[in-house]
Amino acid sequence: MLLLGALLLLLALPSYGQDTMQGPPLPKGACTGWMAGIPGHPGHNGTTGRDGRDGTPGEKGEKGDPGLVGPKGDTGETGITGIEGPRGFPGVPGRKGEPGESAYVYRSAFSVGLESRVTVPNVPIRFTKIFYNQQNHYDGTTGKFLCNIPGLYYFSYHITVYLKDVKVSLYKNDKALLFTHDQFQNQNVDQASGSVLLYLEKGDQVWLQVYEGENHNGVYADNVHDSTFTGFLLYHNIE
């Protein structure tokens, strides 16, 4: 082994004459008589270097095409009511309307008085002194009011009482509905009165009548004292 190593060493070293006659001079610091070794294995990869600096921003690109319309969103909450705005200018007046049908006014009324104190008990009192009876719904020959317009009526009476007591009833179709009694005071003129609302159908009759005989027939009238009977329609009920 030693012999083999010495032989290889001799072969590697050039002679003095060859060093001075052939090849360029050796680089400074290089060992004389060196021999290249076998290439080694590649080394391991180094660690990743740091990121470089950001590049300069590029130019703004062209505007893209509009995207597809998305689905309709949910309705939002109602906002707060705003402040009322100023009042606007008056509008142009509209055209005049067509004349309407005139409303028919239903009338029924009377007001009558007693001309003398001659009355008969238990029959209708005949008031023959006419203050108002334009529709002729009161009959002075019978003393009865005849309903021609169904509806609500108001009736009143004012009786002067003299010489006797008075008992007077207001009748509707032979039925006494209202009673008035006044007791006569000696040598004094007294008054008795009454009033009522009645609903009447067409054909109903209303009148005044003394009841319970002659002793209660103190109904009186003269040129300065009146006994009156009045009635009128408040509203009709015609369909």
Side-chain angles (χ1 to χ4, degrees):
M1 291 296 290
L2 295 173
L3 180 60
L4 179 58
L7 181 60
L8 292 173
L9 182 58
L10 290 175
L11 291 174
L13 294 175
S15 62
Y16 175 78
Q18 292 176 335
D19 293 336
T20 58
M21 295 297 294
Q22 298 179 357
L26 295 173
K28 186 177 180 179
C31 295
T32 58
W34 63 279
M35 185 177 65
I38 300 172
H41 296 288
H44 297 289
N45 294 331
T47 58
T48 304
R50 293 182 299 175
D51 294 338
R53 297 180 179 177
D54 294 337
T56 304
E59 296 180 0
K60 184 176 180 180
E62 296 180 359
K63 185 176 181 180
D65 296 331
L68 299 176
V69 178
K72 184 178 180 180
D74 297 332
T75 302
E77 297 180 359
T78 304
I80 300 174
T81 303
I83 301 173
E84 183 178 357
R87 184 174 182 178
F89 295 104
V92 180
R95 293 184 301 172
K96 185 177 181 180
E98 297 293 333
E101 297 181 0
S102 60
Y104 182 80
V105 179
Y106 294 90
R107 294 184 175 90
S108 180
F110 72 96
S111 183
V112 293
L114 195 65
E115 288 187 299
S116 67
R117 65 172 302 271
V118 179
T119 58
V120 180
N122 303 316
V123 295
I125 300 175
R126 294 176 60 245
F127 294 89
T128 56
K129 186 177 182 179
I130 307 300
F131 299 111
Y132 179 87
N133 191 29
Q134 187 173 353
Q135 294 81 35
N136 292 316
H137 293 167
Y138 172 80
D139 187 352
T141 61
T142 62
K144 296 180 179 181
F145 168 78
L146 177 64
C147 176
N148 288 266
I149 303 171
L152 184 68
Y153 287 79
Y154 174 80
F155 293 96
S156 66
Y157 52 88
H158 175 86
I159 303 298
T160 297
V161 181
Y162 186 58
L163 300 178
K164 297 179 182 180
D165 295 348
V166 164
K167 289 186 177 180
V168 174
S169 293
L170 184 141
Y171 279 76
K172 173 187 173 184
N173 299 336
D174 294 324
K175 182 178 180 180
L177 300 180
L178 190 65
F179 298 88
T180 300
H181 178 209
D182 187 82
Q183 189 173 11
F184 172 67
Q185 303 295 326
N186 190 25
Q187 303 301 320
N188 289 326
V189 177
D190 205 358
Q191 288 83 33
S193 62
S195 60
V196 67
L197 287 173
L198 294 178
Y199 182 84
L200 302 181
E201 298 287 354
K202 186 174 182 180
D204 287 342
Q205 292 180 317
V206 178
W207 67 89
L208 288 180
Q209 181 173 308
V210 174
Y211 67 96
E212 292 191 1
E214 186 64 33
N215 291 332
H216 298 92
N217 189 17
V219 179
Y220 182 81
D222 59 21
N223 60 338
V224 293
H225 298 92
D226 283 303
S227 293
T228 60
F229 181 34
T230 299
F232 54 87
L233 175 68
L234 288 177
Y235 64 84
H236 69 276
N237 187 26
I238 296 179
E239 297 180 355

